[in-house]
Amino acid sequence: MIDPRTLVPSLQDLRTEVFDELSRYRGLPLLVWTDDDGVEHTYVERRFVPGPEALSAAGVVAVNDQDRLDNIAAVQFGEATLWWRIADANRALQPDELTQRLGRRLLITFAEGTPAPRR
């Protein structure tokens, strides 16, 4: 009989490759915590939202009727899964709140550490 655990790569082999290249968790290490019963729990190290100095403004968009962050991200970045970049740039703890008020202006930024182009 084959032990199915032998078919899965170890956490050391996976490291951060378990996250898509566009994921906000990409590059964060996986950690393991062992509880009092000896059961191991894998989790992702805490992610800190980048500070304002790490984000260069690319522009501003106004929220329209029935806008969602994923739709705005699709238009602004060409990729809906990058909605979290808008949430980061606008310091949102509750990302859905960013689109609840029509006309709200949302900051759109370049990726963390990317300087704004010179004009």
Side-chain angles (χ1 to χ4, degrees), residues 10 12 16 32 42 47 53 67 71 81 85 106:
S10 73
Q12 296 302 325
T16 57
V32 177
T42 304
R47 175 184 178 266
E53 68 282 352
D67 261 345
N71 292 337
T81 61
R85 284 184 41 198
L106 300 177

Side-chain angles (χ1 to χ4, degrees), residues 17-64:
E17 286 79 17
V18 295
F19 299 108
D20 180 87
E21 67 183 55
L22 299 178
S23 171
R24 62 185 152 177
Y25 301 112
R26 182 73 174 198
L28 292 177
L30 295 177
L31 305 174
V32 177
W33 169 71
T34 305
D35 65 23
D36 292 339
D37 295 325
V39 178
E40 290 185 344
H41 303 271
T42 304
Y43 63 100
V44 180
E45 185 173 75
R46 181 176 177 188
R47 175 184 178 266
F48 292 93
V49 176
E53 68 282 352
L55 302 173
S56 298
V60 175
V61 297
V63 173
N64 293 312

